[in-house]
Amino acid sequence: MKHTLSVLVENQPGVLSRVASLFARRGFNIDSLAVGTTQNPKISRMTILVDGDDHLVEQVEKQLNKLIPVIKVKVLEPGAFVSSELTLVKVACKPKQHAEVLNVARLMGADVIDVAAASLTLRFAGDEERSRTLLELLTPYGLREVVRAGSIAIEKGSGVLKNNKE
């Protein structure tokens, strides 16, 4: 089962390396990792997806809390958060197929960001399942290149993950 962790860290050089090293040392695999600054430029948020049982996630949470640059760790409960990932896909298609690919893009809510004689490049933001569906629909045309950013997540409702010192 996949688990999503939201981790606030100090925005300083080497933090990503320390977190990634922790996972490597413990033999935990990271399915997805996305990092970006928060509204406070001194703090970054990492969204980490790990695949494993509850015991593994508990161990990961405990180990992360021991790292000095980590401010706060929260395991997001399924159904209590929304998530999204960014997918860029370059589709091989002849000019006569452009209309078909554009129709798929429109139906899935993807944006066309580049047009060439032999390809179209689409940008899609959505959950992992819809991203996978888009790629399945485009596969018959020929996927020339796919780039997927890690998933980001935020809790539903008015709750926030914040630094207790603020």
Side-chain angles (χ1 to χ4, degrees), residues 89-115:
V89 57
K90 188 174 293 185
V91 183
C93 63
K94 298 172 183 147
K96 67 180 182 183
Q97 295 174 312
H98 280 194
E100 295 173 34
V101 173
L102 290 172
N103 194 37
V104 170
R106 184 183 55 78
L107 289 171
M108 294 298 296
D111 297 319
V112 177
I113 57 172
D114 187 52
V115 178

Side-chain angles (χ1 to χ4, degrees), residues 6-159:
S6 188
V7 182
L8 293 180
V9 297
E10 295 173 13
N11 188 10
Q12 57 183 241
V15 172
L16 177 60
S17 175
R18 294 183 73 183
V19 170
S21 294
L22 179 148
F23 278 81
R25 282 193 314 269
R26 304 290 179 196
F28 301 146
N29 188 37
I30 298 173
D31 278 4
S32 170
L33 173 66
V35 184
T37 56
T38 63
Q39 66 275 25
N40 180 343
K42 295 179 180 177
I43 299 173
S44 291
R45 178 188 303 259
M46 294 182 173
T47 304
I48 304 170
L49 271 64
V50 295
D51 194 5
D53 59 22
D54 292 343
H55 177 70
L56 175 110
V57 173
E58 184 180 330
Q59 292 300 311
V60 167
E61 185 179 13
K62 286 179 180 176
Q63 295 297 320
L64 284 171
N65 275 315
K66 291 179 182 177
L67 288 179
I68 297 298
V70 172
I71 298 167
K72 191 162 191 163
V73 179
K74 183 163 190 174
V75 178
L76 301 177
E77 297 297 323
F81 67 92
V82 290
S83 65
S84 185
E85 71 175 40
L86 177 65
T87 302
L88 300 177
V89 57
K90 188 174 293 185
V91 183
C93 63
K94 298 172 183 147
K96 67 180 182 183
Q97 295 174 312
H98 280 194
E100 295 173 34
V101 173
L102 290 172
N103 194 37
V104 170
R106 184 183 55 78
L107 289 171
M108 294 298 296
D111 297 319
V112 177
I113 57 172
D114 187 52
V115 178
S119 68
L120 291 174
T121 302
L122 308 179
R123 174 180 49 220
F124 176 76
D127 64 31
E128 185 178 353
E129 184 178 329
R130 285 186 47 86
S131 180
R132 196 174 26 251
T133 299
L134 174 66
L135 295 176
E136 287 172 8
L137 291 171
L138 295 173
T139 295
Y141 298 98
L143 303 179
R144 298 188 78 183
E145 190 171 13
V146 176
V147 180
R148 295 172 80 173
S151 181
I152 57 172
I154 192 166
E155 285 183 279
K156 290 181 179 176
S158 58

